[in-house]
Amino acid sequence: VVTGTVQVVEVMIIEIKYKECDKIVKRIAFEKAINVDSLKKSVADELDLENMVVEDSYKGPRLDDENFTITAQFMEELMGWYKDQKVLHRKYAYGMLINIK
């Protein structure tokens, strides 16, 4: 009877330790899942707008290449450009997005 009781206690201890380990593993997995890597670079930081070429054939609205300031005149030109089903050059689209970042 004593041997059986010892085995039951050992099984209980093993189950308790298993549950504790399982909780720790789940906690670590959760912490990894919600961890935000502060060293990750933004895609915006990787864009080289200064060296992005706007083809001579592009006749659409243009932004100042220095700071991509959006003006009322630019927006009016852009709306007309879009009404004609035309596409803004990617340099200016990226510049606008980075500017509002």
Side-chain angles (χ1 to χ4, degrees):
V1 175
V2 173
T3 305
T5 305
V6 170
Q7 287 177 342
V8 169
V9 170
E10 287 176 348
V11 169
M12 290 174 63
I13 291 172
I14 291 170
E15 287 177 352
I16 290 170
K17 287 188 177 196
Y18 172 78
K19 287 179 182 177
E20 288 174 3
C21 288
D22 190 48
K23 285 180 185 178
I24 291 169
V25 168
K26 287 180 180 175
R27 180 181 51 83
I28 291 170
F30 177 74
E31 288 172 355
K32 267 186 180 178
I34 64 170
N35 185 23
V36 175
D37 188 0
S38 61
L39 299 177
K40 287 185 180 179
K41 289 186 176 181
S42 168
V43 174
D45 295 335
E46 300 295 318
L47 290 173
D48 183 12
L49 295 181
E50 288 180 22
N51 293 318
M52 194 175 286
V53 176
V54 178
E55 298 78 16
D56 292 335
S57 61
Y58 177 75
K59 303 297 181 203
R62 294 174 180 262
L63 286 171
D64 173 20
D65 287 345
E66 295 272 332
N67 54 16
F68 297 98
T69 303
I70 300 169
T71 63
Q73 178 185 351
F74 171 79
M75 289 307 297
E76 288 173 12
E77 291 174 11
L78 181 61
M79 287 188 301
W81 192 249
Y82 282 157
K83 283 180 184 177
D84 293 338
Q85 301 292 313
K86 296 180 181 172
V87 179
L88 179 65
H89 192 277
R90 68 180 180 277
K91 178 176 184 172
Y92 303 123
Y94 290 145
M96 289 171 56
L97 292 173
I98 290 170
N99 195 17
I100 60 174
K101 173 188 156 198

